[in-house]
Amino acid sequence: MALTLASSSIVSSLRCVGVGHHSRNARGSNPRLSFEPVSVGKPGRLFSVQASVDEKALTGVVFEPFREVQSDGFILPADRKKSLARQRFDTNCESAINDQINVEYNVSYIYHALFAYFDRDNIGLPGFAKYFKEASEEEREHAEKLMKYQNKRGGRVKLNAIVSPVTEFENEEKGDALYAMELALSLEKLTMEKLYALHKVAEDSHDVQLTDYIESEFLSEQVEAIKKVSEYVAQLRRIGKDGHGVYYFDRVLGEEGA
């Protein structure tokens, strides 16, 4: 990029000026930085200055888009079945995201089974039913977020089989309410471990965008969920199998977020 000056006297003062350690001394052979005026307008009125080191021009250009986009990494695929958006997206990350989608759907399925159990007429705990229904929907939303992210990065969503969950949650020692909430806490911790595994794959693949996405969209929320369910478990352990206490807890649980 040329530097323009309005006066020839200024240009003449820049001619053949050595700068710092780039000046040639009597013994060394360090290059000499000089400035040469080039007329680009009326004589004596307008000049440009070109810097050079030992006759070699220094343009200062560090980004040459028209040349750089011709490298192999920027060649767009002609096959319409291939993604145009994909960039620095390793197949290991793509596979790990699909695994996490499967995790979210499986957890959602278990929560939906818990919803169906507590919604029964002979169980009659609508607060628990509401809580687990919302938990199921939240896990499904997480799966859909990952699916949209997969598409955004140019990957392909692959849905795997979902394990059929149990449908009975009565426990002779703990009762169904405490047993179900302890199961929920274990599922939230399991989901966190799976997210850590996904984050590790992204780190190993040097995919800084994916690591940032997992940290900003999932990890903090998962920590909050674990804390919340842990408190529910602690409270239900105090209550035990007491029917009146479980009934009151159910009513409070149903009012939360209403």
Side-chain angles (χ1 to χ4, degrees):
M1 182 175 180
L3 172 66
T4 59
L5 301 174
S7 171
S8 60
S9 61
I10 297 178
V11 173
S12 61
S13 66
L14 292 173
R15 195 169 206 152
C16 299
V17 177
V19 179
H21 296 290
H22 293 288
S23 301
R24 185 187 301 274
N25 54 40
R27 296 175 55 190
S29 58
N30 291 330
R32 182 183 181 85
L33 182 64
S34 62
F35 297 88
E36 297 295 333
V38 179
S39 177
V40 294
K42 294 181 179 181
R45 299 294 296 276
L46 189 62
F47 293 88
S48 69
V49 176
Q50 179 178 339
S52 63
V53 176
D54 291 346
E55 305 296 329
K56 184 178 181 180
L58 297 177
T59 64
V61 174
V62 295
F63 177 49
E64 299 181 57
F66 294 107
R67 181 180 63 83
E68 293 181 32
V69 294
Q70 296 178 29
S71 62
D72 292 342
F74 298 101
I75 296 177
L76 300 181
D79 188 349
R80 295 182 62 183
K81 294 182 179 180
K82 292 185 177 181
S83 169
L84 295 172
R86 189 166 189 141
Q87 182 179 16
R88 291 180 176 267
F89 190 48
D90 194 86
T91 54
N92 290 329
C93 293
E94 181 180 5
S95 178
I97 290 173
N98 282 328
D99 290 344
Q100 188 64 33
I101 291 171
N102 185 256
V103 169
E104 302 290 345
Y105 271 126
N106 271 283
V107 174
S108 174
Y109 214 30
I110 296 172
Y111 282 154
H112 225 170
L114 284 162
F115 152 72
Y117 173 83
F118 286 105
D119 191 56
R120 292 180 191 172
D121 66 290
N122 61 327
I123 303 299
L125 292 174
F128 278 87
K130 175 178 176 288
Y131 172 79
F132 285 118
K133 182 176 184 295
E134 292 174 350
S136 176
E137 292 171 349
E138 183 178 3
E139 298 303 324
R140 182 183 176 90
E141 288 174 1
H142 290 171
E144 291 178 356
K145 282 178 68 173
L146 288 166
M147 292 168 74
K148 288 179 70 67
Y149 180 83
Q150 183 84 290
N151 288 333
K152 188 180 294 185
R153 291 295 302 274
R156 292 293 177 265
V157 173
K158 181 181 179 182
L159 297 179
N160 298 312
I162 299 177
V163 178
S164 179
V166 298
T167 56
E168 300 297 328
F169 299 96
E170 180 61 52
N171 183 276
E172 183 176 350
E173 178 185 352
K174 300 177 180 179
D176 51 7
L178 175 57
Y179 177 77
M181 201 59 75
E182 286 184 344
L183 174 60
L185 179 57
S186 295
L187 288 172
E188 294 297 332
K189 288 188 173 183
L190 174 62
T191 301
M192 187 63 144
E193 289 298 322
K194 297 296 185 179
L195 286 169
Y196 284 150
L198 174 58
H199 190 277
K200 181 64 165 55
V201 172
E203 279 188 328
D204 292 343
S205 300
H206 306 290
D207 193 327
V208 294
Q209 207 290 318
L210 179 55
T211 57
D212 177 72
Y213 179 74
I214 297 166
E215 292 167 5
S216 61
E217 296 293 330
F218 291 96
L219 295 186
S220 295
E221 182 179 336
Q222 199 63 30
V223 168
E224 294 294 333
I226 291 172
K227 173 63 162 56
K228 182 177 181 180
V229 182
S230 295
E231 291 176 347
Y232 289 159
V233 169
Q235 292 164 7
L236 286 168
R237 283 180 174 179
R238 290 176 179 273
I239 294 171
K241 295 178 65 176
D242 177 66
H244 184 269
V246 172
Y247 171 75
Y248 180 76
F249 185 94
D250 179 78
R251 292 192 61 180
V252 174
L253 192 63
E255 293 172 358
E256 287 190 359

